[in-house]
Amino acid sequence: MRYGVYVPNFGPYGDARILADLAYEAEEAGWDCFFLWDQVSKTTLTPTVDPMVDPWIALAAIALRTRTIRLGTLVTPLPRRRPWMVARETVSLDHLSAGRLILGVGSGGGYFDFEALGEASDATTLAVLLDEGLEVLTGLWSGERYHYEGISYHIKEAQFLPRPVQSPRIPIWVADMWPAKAPLRRAVRWDGVIPIGRDLPLTAMLTSAQMHEIVRTVASLPGYTAPFEVVHSGITEGMDAAHDREIVAAYQQVGVTWWVEKILPELRGSWTNWPLEAMRTRIRQGPPK
């Protein structure tokens, strides 16, 4: 089991320097990866408008502030980004970090990140954009001459260099709104799956039994190959190490390979009011291993 932490890119965390400092603290405390949310607009249906920082700018700052911890997005809604721009951004960041990048992707569809900005928001269109975007992205990562003719993307000719540091590619993890099965079929074509409970409150997590079902389902799908990462968004309190280890062990036993901590310090309400010092304290306590 490996351990990550992920934090928002808005509100008190909408500053690249603050996020870089938190990532440094996470590296010192023994976490294996530091992930950022990828939002471009407000995140709730409330009137609040939050300061935000672009995740790629913040990840560049994080790459320069750290040495060994992995970094990435959980998750980037690929349909609202041009895949050739993402190809340039991710390869640049992979080189800047000496091969430490992980790319989490999903179809997205949140109102303020899509419909309110004039983006397509129906599930069918987003699924096509995600699948084609992944094909274009990895095709451009290859460094070879490339063309693509799809429904949404039409590339006459391109060749992008340099290639990523990582081989055969930057790891791609695909989000799944469990119990949806279609995203699992997409995920097995890549390197990992990030199950997210549909309509699950932010303060809750999928059970170990549900994760076991996901692990079994993925392993039974055509195209599945190992190694394959199964990423769980977990919650521990960081107060009782033995109790936290028991929680994590139940997930490890059913085949979960990554525990990514949803840090919710002293809060069960507004996302934007997460106390920065409480977040830093939890990060310093280290992973539940």
Side-chain angles (χ1 to χ4, degrees):
M1 182 78 81
R2 283 174 286 181
Y3 300 85
V5 59
Y6 72 123
V7 302
N9 64 318
F10 52 85
Y13 309 93
D15 184 307
R17 293 181 181 85
I18 288 174
L19 292 172
D21 286 343
L22 288 175
Y24 174 80
E25 298 269 15
E27 182 175 81
E28 292 294 297
W31 297 91
D32 297 303
C33 196
F34 190 89
F35 294 104
L36 296 182
W37 296 22
D38 185 345
Q39 303 285 153
V40 299
S41 188
K42 60 190 292 189
T43 58
T44 69
L45 296 177
T46 68
T48 304
V49 178
D50 307 312
M52 289 193 179
V53 64
D54 180 83
W56 301 102
I57 298 296
L59 286 169
I62 289 167
L64 293 174
R65 184 78 169 88
T66 58
R67 296 178 299 105
T68 59
I69 195 169
R70 303 206 68 166
L71 51 123
T73 54
L74 285 186
V75 297
T76 289
L78 195 57
R80 65 157 158 72
R81 294 185 179 271
R82 299 288 190 181
W84 39 91
M85 294 303 297
V86 176
R88 285 297 191 198
E89 290 162 343
T90 50
V91 169
S92 297
L93 189 54
D94 199 46
H95 279 261
L96 185 63
S97 66
R100 292 185 280 139
L101 180 65
I102 295 171
L103 178 63
V105 300
S107 59
Y111 173 78
F112 287 109
D113 258 10
F114 281 82
E115 187 176 346
L117 299 176
E119 297 278 2
S121 58
D122 65 281
T124 300
T125 300
L126 294 178
V128 171
L129 286 167
L130 176 56
D131 285 329
E132 291 195 0
L134 286 168
E135 293 295 335
V136 171
L137 176 65
T138 53
L140 293 173
W141 281 350
S142 73
E144 305 295 332
R145 294 179 65 86
Y146 182 72
H147 74 276
Y148 181 82
E149 190 64 32
I151 297 172
S152 301
Y153 299 120
H154 312 275
I155 297 178
K156 295 180 181 180
E157 58 177 312
Q159 184 174 16
F160 280 15
L161 291 172
R163 297 177 177 88
V165 172
Q166 298 179 79
S167 180
R169 61 169 174 260
I170 297 166
I172 295 173
W173 298 350
V174 180
D176 168 56
M177 295 300 290
W178 181 255
K181 299 297 195 331
L184 297 182
R185 293 191 288 272
R186 175 183 296 116
V188 296
R189 299 176 51 218
W190 305 104
D191 307 296
V193 65
I194 313 159
I196 303 167
R198 181 187 293 162
D199 301 322
L200 195 67
L202 182 67
T203 54
M205 60 183 180
L206 292 168
T207 66
S208 58
Q210 289 172 313
M211 292 301 296
H212 190 202
E213 184 178 356
I214 291 166
V215 169
R216 290 187 300 178
T217 300
V218 166
S220 70
L221 291 172
Y224 170 83
T225 57
F228 185 84
E229 307 293 358
V230 179
V231 184
H232 176 59
S233 298
I235 304 171
T236 59
E237 296 182 358
M239 303 299 292
D240 184 334
H243 177 65
D244 290 347
R245 286 195 296 269
E246 287 179 7
I247 294 173
V248 173
Y251 288 86
Q252 186 171 8
Q253 288 170 3
V254 301
V256 171
T257 62
W258 274 86
W259 178 280
V260 179
E261 185 79 20
K262 295 197 292 188
I263 297 180
L264 306 172
E266 306 174 351
L267 179 87
R268 298 298 181 264
S270 169
W271 298 354
T272 61
N273 292 330
W274 287 355
L276 186 58
E277 286 309 312
M279 177 75 80
R280 182 175 284 112
T281 296
R282 179 64 189 90
I283 286 174
R284 286 174 175 172
Q285 289 169 338
K289 60 182 176 181

